[in-house]
Amino acid sequence: MEFIYISLAVALVLLVLHFVMLKLSLNKEVRILVIIASLVGFTYWGIEPYAHHIMHPEVAEADFTFKDLKNVDTSLAGNAENGKVLVEANCIACHSIESAGFPQMMPNADAAASYGVVPPDLSSAGRIYDKNYLANFIFDPVSAMHLQHKYTPESGKSFPMPSYNWMSAQEIMDIVAYFESIAPKVAEGSEAHKQSFDAACGRCHSMAYAGSEALTPAETIKNYMGATPPDLSQYIKSRGHHYLNNFINDPQVLLHGTSMPRVGLTEKAQEEVIAYMEEVGDRKKAERETLGLWVMLYTLIFAILAYLWKRKIWSEVH
Amino acid sequence: MAEFKKADSMLEWFDQRLGVVNFAKVMMTEYWIPKNINFLWAMGVLLTVLFTFLVVSGIFLLMYYKPDVNMAFDSVNYTIMQEVAYGWLFRHIHAVGASVVFLVIYIHMFTGIYYGSYKKGREMIWVSGMLLFVLFSAEGFSGYMLPWGQMSYWAAYVITELFGGIPFIGNELVVWIRGNFYVSDSTLTRFFMLHVLLLPLLIIGAIVFHFYALRFPHVNNEEGEFFDFDEEAEKYKAGDKKGSKVVAFWPVFLSKDFFVLGFFMLFFFYLTFFHYGFAMDAINFDKADGLKTPAHIYPEWYFLWSYEVLRGFFFDIAGISGKSLGLIAFGIANVIFFLLPWLDRSPMVKPANQRPYFKYWFWLMMADLVVLTVFGKLPPTGINAWIGFASSMTFLILFASLPFITKAEAKKAGGK
């Protein structure tokens, strides 16, 4: 219906334009140009922005506060000292924390075989994950990841990390404070982009065009996820910024039922991840945009010279 | 062998052997074009230039492209787009050029229809032009398959599947076209051959023929006026350039074309560098996967109107399946424009707006094609399906009624 209204509105505008053009007794060539531009412009609008909007309806804005997660009172100030003790007692049996001197216990393939997927190194957890998300993840990983549909009691599957819902909110916030205190300060720019991508995505996803392979071996991850997570080399082009921004924030919104978890990245970390995907997937962007301006400038000069030449030549025949 | 006297200049040397002086006259300085024209008459030169861009960028792409289902995607998206110096530029020019060439073809074609440049001696120009349209369509379709993305694969699947609807030989024909039971490596390699060899050869031949076909009936003009070209040419050569109704192809006609070309290329390069998404569909940056059907399959924009005619018949009529009806309508849509010179029974060669009945036909047809194009992309559900049906029927009815409309017009004009 919307389409019909808009078409009628456009037809009306064209009609008015037609009479205005007649009234102004515009040059015939200008009138032809206006008619062609209107027809082409309208068709373009129909097959690009309009069709896109029909095929990909808008979804809720990305929520970087993860306000649906309310199990832990995140207003409590955490104690990193105590957090360190808790982490050493509860986490490092499975997780490495390279930045705090806890190395990986076994090679990736063995870790993947034991847990289904390589457990993440927690060095940068305090930097890339949202505080509220991280606290609620420790409390109950499955609900934080929005994977309740995958780990139902009937499925017989259980997420490799247990819930720490027996901990007090204060203890959980102590752990969060500890992670924040040990997260390495990374440089800005492409180095930070790559680091965020590796930490957030690299355990499951390969990036062939950057020469990196998922840490979890392909067969293991396929078994764990139900399908092989795609290589992300061209995702900046096949999905685009807007989609990725919504999708990474909460995959269920755009791909209901997917086994990809919500990873809980902060807005900044997610921007870094997408920036990295662009650096790998659209490596020539800067070159393209600079060269584009020069080529257009050159063409403009050509067009002006051609116009002047045409005027000179046609003055002899008119 | 004829006696050759020693040449005094390089020009003379070549002239003795190749007749270049006469050739330049015939092709350029004494090739006469009507003076009463507007910028729509520059589309032919625009198309020639765009085709040259496509050939040159295509040659560069051909140096790195690998026609193999396991390598094609990465050879395009990694090797060409990221490794080869300016490979991305050639790919963008090629992809955007292929799309824009159709925009200009359509403008060229509807200019011809609007000004009645397809009849009264100009039938062969029209037919050869339509032949070029069909060849370019095949070239566009085969080229779209080469990057081996999701849309490459599924468009190839859907379009080759269509041939299965042809009675008796359909199923065998599909296998023969694909070279396999499904779209596979053999399909890719044969379409690669078509795209880089057979079709370009035919296109070049058809372009030459199209240019040649212009020679005798001459180019039409803004008022559809018939005049004696030789007489006007004599006037021009005698120095009465202002009084003559013709101008020389070089430099007069081309100077105007270059001016139009300049501003057109500005638009073209803007698209190439900054706004190429319409010509390089996002979905095609996912590698082809025969097990994963995309949610929406649609052809490139220039096939949407005929695709919609195909989809428009979504229910059975009089015991004939919707699929067969769609296929018949699609077949008609693809050949009917060839017959335009014979469907238009009015002898009037004038701009459509000066023709009492044809003008309605023309603008209705334009509106219908726009609607078909837009709905060819939208999902065919709910009211969209019915709009598709109505606009497909309108398309067929418009063509069926053309002989009667133009006959009536001829009568009216004759009675005056």
Side-chain angles (χ1 to χ4, degrees), chain A residues 3 28-29 32 44 47 55 209 234 237-239 280 283-284 287-288 292 296 314-315 317-318, chain B residues 35 38-39 74 81-82 88 222 242 252 255-256 266 269 273 275-276 282 285-286 296 375 377:
Chain A
F3 177 83
K28 196 189 231 166
E29 310 228 8
I32 296 172
Y44 173 80
I47 58 176
M55 290 190 270
Y209 291 5
Q234 288 292 283
K237 297 201 161 179
S238 64
R239 301 303 186 276
V280 173
R283 198 143 60 87
K284 302 289 181 165
E287 184 180 62
R288 184 174 68 234
M296 286 183 69
W314 279 71
S315 70
V317 298
H318 259 170
Chain B
K35 190 190 284 172
N38 57 50
F39 78 87
D74 290 333
M81 291 293 279
Q82 303 206 353
W88 60 268
E222 233 183 359
K242 288 186 199 283
V252 186
S255 74
K256 182 162 178 167
L266 203 57
F269 284 130
F273 289 99
H275 201 92
Y276 43 82
F285 287 95
D286 275 343
H296 305 281
F375 282 84
K377 184 131 184 195

Side-chain angles (χ1 to χ4, degrees), chain A residues 91-96 104-120 150-151 158-162 203 216 220-221 223-225:
Chain A
C91 311
I92 59 170
C94 305
H95 292 281
S96 60
Q104 208 175 359
M105 305 293 250
M106 45 183 153
N108 284 332
D110 295 346
S114 314
Y115 301 104
V117 59
V118 175
K150 182 177 171 188
Y151 296 106
S158 58
F159 186 65
M161 172 171 156
R203 291 181 300 130
T216 312
T220 321
I221 194 74
N223 197 29
Y224 177 72
M225 299 294 283

Side-chain angles (χ1 to χ4, degrees), chain A residues 6-304:
Chain A
I6 295 171
S7 310
L8 286 176
V10 171
L12 198 70
V13 170
L14 281 181
L15 205 65
V16 173
L17 203 67
H18 177 69
F19 286 113
V20 170
M21 285 195 302
L22 283 181
K23 202 91 194 150
L24 292 177
S25 56
L26 273 179
N27 177 309
K28 196 189 231 166
E29 310 228 8
V30 177
R31 273 189 290 155
I32 296 172
L33 188 62
V34 170
I35 290 169
I36 290 179
S38 316
L39 279 171
V40 173
F42 178 72
T43 310
Y44 173 80
W45 168 82
I47 58 176
E48 283 293 318
Y50 179 71
H52 195 265
H53 147 88
I54 294 290
M55 290 190 270
H56 309 280
E58 270 304 308
V59 293
E61 276 291 291
D63 167 26
F64 290 102
T65 62
F66 303 94
K67 59 177 180 293
D68 58 304
L69 300 174
K70 296 181 183 111
N71 289 319
V72 182
D73 178 5
T74 51
S75 65
L76 297 168
N79 175 347
E81 284 295 306
N82 192 41
K84 182 173 194 299
V85 177
L86 289 166
V87 166
E88 285 177 11
N90 292 290
C91 311
I92 59 170
C94 305
H95 292 281
S96 60
I97 313 178
E98 300 280 357
S99 66
F102 300 109
Q104 208 175 359
M105 305 293 250
M106 45 183 153
N108 284 332
D110 295 346
S114 314
Y115 301 104
V117 59
V118 175
D121 178 275
L122 299 178
S123 302
S124 54
R127 185 177 73 81
I128 64 171
Y129 300 121
D130 172 71
K131 189 178 178 180
N132 183 37
Y133 179 89
L134 187 54
N136 278 283
F137 183 95
I138 297 166
F139 184 88
D140 178 17
V142 172
S143 67
M145 295 186 299
H146 277 177
L147 287 182
Q148 295 93 328
H149 61 282
K150 182 177 171 188
Y151 296 106
T152 55
E154 304 83 62
S155 71
K157 287 181 187 159
S158 58
F159 186 65
M161 172 171 156
S163 299
Y164 286 83
N165 50 14
W166 47 268
M167 276 188 180
S168 71
Q170 183 60 56
E171 285 172 320
I172 289 180
M173 291 317 290
D174 291 349
I175 293 176
V176 171
Y178 171 68
F179 285 139
E180 284 175 344
S181 73
I182 57 161
K185 301 274 169 290
V186 289
E188 293 289 312
S190 53
E191 195 189 324
H193 302 166
K194 178 170 164 48
Q195 230 175 68
S196 293
F197 178 87
D198 286 345
C201 322
R203 291 181 300 130
C204 304
H205 292 284
S206 298
M207 192 64 125
Y209 291 5
S212 69
E213 214 173 301
L215 296 184
T216 312
E219 269 315 301
T220 321
I221 194 74
K222 187 175 179 185
N223 197 29
Y224 177 72
M225 299 294 283
T228 312
D231 183 286
L232 299 181
S233 301
Q234 288 292 283
Y235 263 48
I236 192 68
K237 297 201 161 179
S238 64
R239 301 303 186 276
H241 274 108
H242 185 69
Y243 183 96
L244 288 174
N245 192 48
N246 286 323
F247 184 81
I248 301 170
N249 183 252
D250 186 357
Q252 298 302 329
V253 171
L254 283 157
L255 202 59
H256 190 71
T258 178
S259 54
M260 167 160 163
R262 172 164 79 166
V263 285
L265 297 181
T266 63
E267 187 165 10
K268 182 165 184 291
Q270 188 170 304
E271 274 168 13
E272 288 172 348
V273 164
I274 297 176
Y276 180 67
M277 293 171 82
E278 183 172 279
E279 282 154 20
V280 173
D282 193 9
R283 198 143 60 87
K284 302 289 181 165
K285 189 180 178 194
E287 184 180 62
R288 184 174 68 234
E289 288 174 354
T290 321
L291 184 67
L293 289 176
W294 286 110
V295 170
M296 286 183 69
L297 180 68
Y298 178 88
T299 314
L300 180 67
I301 294 170
F302 170 84
I304 292 170

Side-chain angles (χ1 to χ4, degrees), chain B residues 4 9 67 194 198 208 257 269 272 277 285 358:
Chain B
F4 274 59
S9 67
L194 287 174
L198 185 56
V208 171
D257 281 6
F269 284 130
T272 302
F285 287 95
F358 185 76

Side-chain angles (χ1 to χ4, degrees), chain B residues 326-341:
Chain B
L327 200 59
I328 293 167
F330 180 71
I332 293 173
N334 280 299
V335 296
I336 196 75
F337 278 103
F338 274 99
L339 302 178
L340 195 60

